[in-house]
Amino acid sequence: MFEFVWPLAFLLLPLPWLIAKFKPSVAQTNIHIRMPSVAKLQLGHSKQLHKRAKVSPLEAIVWLLLVSAAANPTWLDEPIVIPSEGRDIMLAVDLSASMTEQDMEYQGRLVDRLSVVKAVVSDFIEARQGDRLGLILFGDTAFLQTPLTRDLATVSQMLTEAQIGLVGRATAIGDAIGLSVKRFEAREQSNRILILLTDGQNTAGNLEPNEALILAREEGIKIYTVGVGSDGRRGFGLFGFNSMAGSSIDEKTLQHIAKETGGQYFRAKDVASLQQIYAMLDELEPISDETQTFRPKVSLFYIPLLVVLGLLFVAQLSVVVRAKVRG
């Protein structure tokens, strides 16, 4: 689609004709400015500009092109739909030693907690179109594995490649929250969400959970906490048979963190409950259905200007040629 951005510029079109009609004669004024005439280049005669009362065709064409350029001709491409602004979601995943406990059933067999988390959270990541996701892994300390990005495939791959012991074997919940606060500070105000997934209690790190909670609340970060592990179900871990798998989750602290930041605490005792938790997050943090459209614009003002330069060049060239022929 073609349009002029400033169509009111065409109101200037009659200006040369008005000047030619109403300009004072030489006899009426002793002060005047002599300027080269485009008409003189075209006609090639020796009449003076002040004796003419008309605008030549070449002058008319040049003026029309100049006004057209001033009106800023623009080509509009087809509208492009821009997805609505999503959420900023940071995932903090516990990689402590207890995540190796095989107390969760998946596809008919008992598997370790981390494998279940990877399978379910990977599906959650793939469904986050329009959101910016980041990944924090924590053990003895917290480590930013992936900054906030819309490259969901990279976030999913980094989670899949995470291994127990990568950042130690303890549980630094406070450090994970503190690191997420630091990463959110670098971004503009947005719908900031931290999903903290752990199967234990804070046993390491430089920042206590309550201290990190205060920082998160001041920055307006909403924290959803997820406790992973069966409720006293018999399972296997690194050190053999374990009849109290999942019993070490500090649910009181996780509930307090979620409540104080406006989030919610969930308990994932099996695969189905973990899947349900992530499905509920879309209802708790909905994305606006409003969409925006964008139409790419290409400004074409330079085209009439180039034509003007071309006409003036041809006119000047014709004068030179005629002068040589006469000489």
Side-chain angles (χ1 to χ4, degrees), residues 62-308:
V62 168
W63 180 248
L64 176 61
L65 291 171
L66 291 176
V67 173
S68 299
N72 194 8
T74 302
W75 175 261
L76 298 178
D77 285 339
E78 292 299 320
I80 298 175
V81 177
I82 302 176
S84 58
E85 185 68 17
R87 302 157 290 196
D88 283 348
I89 302 177
M90 188 68 74
L91 300 172
V93 179
D94 187 353
L95 292 184
S96 61
S98 56
M99 289 291 286
T100 61
E101 292 184 9
Q102 299 178 5
D103 63 340
M104 302 188 76
E105 187 174 344
Y106 182 65
Q107 295 182 346
R109 60 190 181 91
L110 287 177
V111 297
D112 63 89
R113 298 168 181 174
L114 183 59
S115 296
V116 171
V117 168
K118 288 181 178 181
V120 176
V121 177
S122 293
D123 292 338
F124 171 79
I125 292 173
E126 292 178 4
R128 302 279 68 77
Q129 299 298 325
D131 292 338
R132 284 183 292 262
L133 261 66
L135 177 63
I136 291 176
L137 305 176
F138 65 97
D140 292 346
T141 186
F143 176 77
L144 180 66
Q145 186 72 354
T146 307
L148 288 167
T149 178
R150 284 195 170 90
D151 186 358
L152 304 183
T154 297
V155 178
S156 181
Q157 180 181 354
M158 292 297 101
L159 176 62
T160 301
E161 295 176 355
Q163 299 294 329
I164 300 296
L166 183 64
V167 283
R169 311 186 74 83
T171 308
I173 295 176
D175 282 8
I177 297 175
L179 180 57
S180 68
V181 171
K182 183 177 180 181
R183 301 309 301 182
F184 278 125
E185 284 179 347
R187 304 199 63 87
E188 298 178 356
Q189 187 66 28
S190 61
N191 194 359
R192 304 174 175 186
I193 301 169
L194 169 63
I195 301 176
L196 178 71
L197 193 148
T198 181
D199 71 339
Q201 52 189 312
N202 192 76
T203 57
N206 300 316
L207 195 62
E208 290 296 324
N210 286 332
E211 296 173 341
L213 163 63
I214 296 174
L215 297 175
R217 189 167 54 191
E218 290 177 350
E219 291 296 325
I221 300 172
K222 188 179 294 186
I223 303 177
Y224 290 94
T225 55
V226 181
V228 180
S230 64
D231 192 5
R233 184 174 179 175
R234 298 172 70 87
F236 290 89
L238 285 177
F239 304 101
F241 193 74
N242 185 358
S243 61
M244 292 300 290
S247 61
S248 63
I249 300 175
D250 187 359
E251 292 191 280
K252 183 178 180 179
T253 297
L254 296 180
Q255 290 171 350
H256 178 67
I257 292 173
K259 180 179 179 181
E260 290 297 315
T261 59
Q264 191 170 332
Y265 169 70
F266 302 96
R267 180 64 188 276
K269 299 180 181 180
D270 49 38
V271 175
S273 61
L274 185 58
Q275 292 173 330
Q276 185 179 9
I277 289 169
Y278 286 110
M280 290 176 61
L281 285 172
D282 281 333
E283 300 178 5
L284 294 171
E285 298 291 340
I287 299 179
S288 174
D289 293 332
E290 297 181 0
T291 57
Q292 300 178 353
T293 57
F294 169 72
R295 299 193 71 169
K297 296 182 179 181
V298 180
S299 184
L300 305 175
F301 71 92
Y302 61 90
I303 294 180
L305 293 180
L306 291 176
V307 175
V308 169

